[in-house]
Amino acid sequence: MKTKNNLLIIVLFLGCFLIGCDNYLDVTPKDKQTQEQLFATRSGFYAAVNGVYNKLVSNSLYGRNLSYEMIDVMALRYSPISSTGTMLSDAVTANYSGDQLKSTLASVWQTAYETILNCNVILDNIEKQKTVLSEKEAMLLKGEMLALRAFLHFDMLRLFGPIYRVKPSAVAIPYNESIKITNLPLLSADVVLNDYILRDIVLAEQFLGQDPIIEEGPMASAAEEDADADVFLRYRQLRFNYYAVKALKARVLLYAGDKENAGKVANELISDVNVKKHFPPVDPAKLLGNTQTADRVFSTEVLMGMYKNNRSDIFTYSFEGENAGSFLLQTRENYLINHLFAEETGDYRFQSQWVPATSVGSTGYFFAKYKKLKFPDPDNIPFYATFMPLIRLSEMYYIAAECAPDLSESYQILNEIRDLRGVPALPVVDKIDFLKCLKREYLREFYGEGQIFFMFKRLGGVIDKTENAYLDRNVSVSEARFVPSLPESEIMYR
């Protein structure tokens, strides 16, 4: 992989997380001296760190391709209007030779590895500039950058790597720990997963052992009332905090097939007293029947997410029939009512995140998780109105349920999170029924968040027609559909 230091892009948010401002300053270090100047101050370090998080929310990554659009279309979550020759039509049919889909996947790859390079530069300068940050800050930032590096590599592995349960030792992706211009070797999936990703996660967990989120919670508000408050350490839900790292660890262990330890970590999180305190369930009283200010992303339950100031554009240009045009994303006719939420339309997720289509010529429902909210005071917008989830606490219930040693315990844990979604408990039937119920919960919970492609790929087998929002038929989880080729720019240098 050829990656250059001058791809390091540092973005300084001029208080956008702290005072709601959009303005930012792009600083591109062109040489070693400029880098040294940037990292000579505490504010310079946080400018670099904010730049990394800003890359996550770009359209190339989780602001679009790896959340609500490309990756969800690839997972058969929608039936796009575009029939041929577009990125959407290629994505839904797994036509990885299509030029537009190839270009989009190449952008995902390039931006992910640019961001990984940024993480490495920050880690390198934490070691070089030992007097700039306090020991506590240095530990926190090390933990965050190691976690982000592991997180991004993991998603590149899940996207471009083999179907792990079938070919764990197949050649997959490079793991970049360097700031140098170098052509990195492709490593096998199991080596990337066990020797590098899990190693970085374990280190990140150790470095974040004194994360302020553990005692003080997300601190998702401005600190104007406290002049002595350290603004750099607030908004922990927008950072890779201690709990998000633990959750990532459970996710990775499950992918690796280590159900015993994945279940252990997941259970630690859902039973943690501070987690229960700081990440309470969504309040249905504030959610249902509220079309103006409802917290449709269930932000109180999100362990880590992103700030996206123009989040409402997602609904306007992808899910609202009047403006989306040929880019409109909708499920196939009657899929929601007949399959996904069949006989359970009282589910909070259906009630709050799906709205009847009202545009001329439109039928069915529009996905409204990211629809614009309207507040009495437009200058006082709450945190959740510009928030996009990356890691949810609910996923830990699903992991704990899947990894439980006893079938009745699996149903019990799954019913705990179903109860928080306003749906009745499931009776204990058998393993086949449980897996079907578990997949349905994932499908409901993670719409627009990019996790379903990875779930299908991990579990393998067949995507049942009741799980297919594109066509009324079963689809096999095959390499042809779930293993896109590496970008040509990556292959050509080998």
Side-chain angles (χ1 to χ4, degrees):
M1 180 188 64
K2 292 207 169 184
T3 322
K4 298 181 179 180
N5 280 347
N6 62 10
L7 288 176
L8 172 65
I9 300 175
I10 304 301
V11 181
L12 173 58
F13 282 97
L14 298 179
C16 72
F17 287 152
L18 307 175
I19 59 174
C21 177
D22 293 342
N23 298 328
Y24 58 85
L25 172 66
D26 283 335
V27 182
T28 307
K30 294 181 172 57
D31 53 35
K32 183 178 179 181
Q33 183 179 8
T34 307
Q35 276 196 39
E36 290 177 349
Q37 291 173 348
L38 178 69
F39 291 107
T41 65
R42 183 173 183 250
S43 60
F45 265 100
Y46 283 99
V49 170
N50 283 344
V52 169
Y53 287 107
N54 189 57
K55 296 283 272 187
L56 292 185
V57 80
S58 68
N59 285 341
S60 294
L61 294 179
Y62 303 94
R64 184 171 186 165
N65 290 335
L66 294 182
S67 56
Y68 68 89
E69 197 193 60
M70 182 200 75
I71 195 76
D72 262 9
V73 175
M74 288 165 61
L76 307 175
R77 296 293 76 221
Y78 311 107
S79 185
I81 290 178
S82 305
S83 57
T84 59
T86 68
M87 189 278 288
L88 296 178
S89 62
D90 287 342
V92 80
T93 57
N95 177 23
Y96 294 121
S97 62
D99 289 340
Q100 293 193 49
L101 180 56
K102 282 168 61 177
S103 176
T104 303
L105 286 165
S107 176
V108 170
W109 177 275
Q110 178 180 340
T111 308
Y113 277 96
E114 287 176 8
T115 310
I116 289 166
L117 176 64
N118 292 358
C119 294
N120 293 340
V121 170
I122 293 170
L123 287 166
D124 183 64
N125 278 278
I126 290 174
E127 294 303 315
K128 289 178 178 177
Q129 307 281 9
K130 290 185 177 295
T131 61
V132 176
L133 300 172
S134 68
E135 182 178 355
K136 178 181 179 181
E137 284 181 299
M139 297 278 279
L140 286 175
L141 293 190
K142 279 183 184 179
E144 289 184 35
M145 295 303 102
L146 285 168
L148 276 168
R149 185 169 79 182
F151 177 78
L152 287 163
H153 278 109
F154 183 52
D155 275 1
M156 293 306 98
L157 177 66
R158 292 199 294 175
L159 178 55
F160 293 98
I163 298 176
Y164 190 80
R165 63 195 295 270
V166 178
K167 295 182 177 179
S169 60
V171 172
I173 66 169
Y175 201 91
N176 186 16
E177 306 171 275
S178 174
I179 63 170
K180 297 179 181 179
I181 304 170
T182 183
N183 195 18
L184 298 169
L186 295 178
L187 305 173
S188 66
D190 52 355
V191 167
V192 172
L193 198 62
N194 295 296
D195 293 358
Y196 293 92
I197 292 175
L198 280 171
R199 177 208 62 189
D200 278 356
I201 290 173
V202 170
L203 287 172
E205 184 181 355
Q206 294 171 356
F207 285 129
L208 288 164
Q210 297 184 35
D211 191 330
I213 199 171
I214 297 172
E215 297 298 331
E216 300 181 53
M219 297 180 283
S221 61
E224 297 174 357
E225 69 281 358
D226 185 356
D228 295 324
D230 192 334
V231 293
F232 288 127
L233 299 181
R234 300 190 69 81
Y235 292 89
R236 295 302 296 166
Q237 271 176 298
L238 294 172
R239 307 291 186 183
F240 233 117
N241 59 73
Y242 175 77
Y243 295 125
V245 171
K246 294 274 287 186
L248 177 62
K249 185 178 183 181
R251 181 186 286 182
V252 172
L253 287 167
L254 180 65
Y255 191 85
D258 187 352
K259 287 191 173 182
E260 180 180 356
N261 284 310
K264 179 180 178 181
V265 177
N267 277 298
E268 286 174 358
L269 276 167
I270 61 181
S271 62
D272 187 284
V273 173
N274 284 334
V275 171
K276 290 178 182 293
K277 175 183 176 181
H278 298 318
F279 298 94
V282 64
D283 183 354
K286 298 179 180 179
L287 182 69
L288 304 181
N290 178 2
T291 61
Q292 301 295 311
T293 63
D295 180 5
R296 298 190 185 100
V297 300
F298 301 1
S299 68
T300 59
E301 303 178 21
V302 177
L303 298 176
M304 180 197 172
M306 307 172 295
Y307 167 86
K308 188 174 179 67
N309 184 57
N310 61 343
R311 193 189 75 176
S312 61
D313 286 350
I314 295 173
F315 177 79
T316 302
Y317 298 112
S318 291
F319 298 103
E320 202 281 313
E322 187 172 337
N323 295 291
S326 61
F327 295 98
L328 177 66
L329 297 175
Q330 265 191 298
T331 66
R332 62 181 170 89
E333 188 175 5
N334 297 323
Y335 169 75
L336 294 172
I337 300 298
N338 292 348
H339 299 297
L340 187 59
F341 291 99
E343 301 179 5
E344 292 185 348
T345 54
D347 191 313
Y348 300 160
R349 293 163 293 196
F350 179 75
Q351 292 289 318
S352 65
Q353 296 172 3
W354 296 90
V355 297
T358 56
S359 303
V360 176
S362 299
T363 59
Y365 292 82
F366 290 148
F367 179 60
K369 182 180 284 186
Y370 303 121
K371 186 178 181 181
K372 185 175 183 178
L373 302 177
K374 298 179 181 179
F375 299 93
D377 182 2
D379 295 324
N380 186 22
I381 304 300
F383 170 80
Y384 63 80
T386 53
F387 190 51
M388 289 185 69
L390 284 174
I391 301 178
R392 289 186 172 278
L393 181 60
S394 55
E395 184 182 357
M396 298 302 102
Y397 284 87
Y398 302 145
I399 292 175
E402 184 178 347
C403 298
D406 180 75
L407 186 62
S408 61
E409 184 181 350
S410 293
Y411 276 98
Q412 178 186 339
I413 297 171
L414 192 60
N415 283 331
E416 288 179 26
I417 189 65
R418 280 175 57 85
D419 181 60
L420 298 178
R421 298 295 179 255
V423 286
L426 298 165
V428 177
V429 182
D430 55 35
K431 290 184 177 180
I432 294 176
D433 175 76
F434 168 76
L435 183 59
K436 185 174 182 178
C437 292
L438 177 69
K439 290 166 73 175
R440 186 173 63 232
E441 288 303 311
Y442 268 96
L443 294 174
R444 293 179 180 183
E445 187 80 1
F446 294 105
Y447 240 108
E449 298 182 23
Q451 293 302 315
I452 303 306
F453 179 88
F454 301 135
M455 179 198 72
F456 283 146
K457 187 171 181 177
R458 177 178 65 83
L459 292 174
V462 173
I463 301 171
D464 186 88
K465 63 182 180 180
T466 65
E467 301 161 353
N468 185 344
Y470 169 49
L471 293 173
D472 184 21
R473 63 180 177 87
N474 296 347
V475 174
S476 296
V477 177
S478 63
E479 286 189 5
R481 175 168 281 279
F482 281 88
V483 185
S485 299
L486 295 182
E488 292 177 356
S489 60
E490 177 65 26
I491 298 171
M492 66 187 295
Y493 290 113
R494 300 191 176 281

